[in-house]
Amino acid sequence: MKNIFKRLLNVKGMVVEDVSIDDSPLRDAPVLVARVRCRKAALRCSRRGRKCPKHDDGGGERRWRHQDFGCYRVELVGPAPRVECRVHGVV
């Protein structure tokens, strides 16, 4: 099931861990929430694009707006890991 959502959401280099619908009364419309994490092989320096070892999870969970999926707004939720680049340090 998770692989289906990975293909439908087109999230490359990420692992979809869970998918749910948030239909809280605080929101205008229901939101499809996908919990994701980066594959270890996908961790790269944001400045030069080279693979680097993970430093930490970046201070908690982040939320990104993704392309709408039909009538649902889509949000990706997960850690934004930092890497330790030999050239740029922790980024």
Side-chain angles (χ1 to χ4, degrees), residues 1 9-10 12 18 35 39 41 45 48-49 52-53 56-58 60-61 63 65 68 70 75 77 84 86 88 90:
M1 184 73 157
L9 295 173
N10 194 24
K12 295 176 182 167
D18 185 38
R35 294 202 164 275
R39 288 189 344 234
C45 174
R48 65 183 194 143
C52 298
D56 63 12
D57 282 329
E61 213 170 60
R63 222 172 243 275
R65 173 85 187 259
D68 291 350
E75 291 181 358
V77 178
E84 191 166 343
R86 290 183 312 175
H88 300 107
V90 177

Side-chain angles (χ1 to χ4, degrees), residues 5 9-10 14 18 27 30 32-34 36 42 44-45 49 54-55 58 62 64 67-68 75 79 81 87 89:
F5 279 105
L9 295 173
N10 194 24
M14 304 195 102
D18 185 38
R27 296 190 180 265
L32 183 71
V33 178
V36 297
R44 296 178 177 271
C45 174
K54 181 177 176 179
H55 179 71
R62 304 275 204 264
W64 298 272
Q67 292 177 336
D68 291 350
E75 291 181 358
V87 176

Side-chain angles (χ1 to χ4, degrees), residues 20-35:
S20 62
I21 296 177
D22 181 4
D23 59 351
S24 166
L26 300 174
R27 296 190 180 265
D28 299 345
V31 176
L32 183 71
V33 178
R35 294 202 164 275

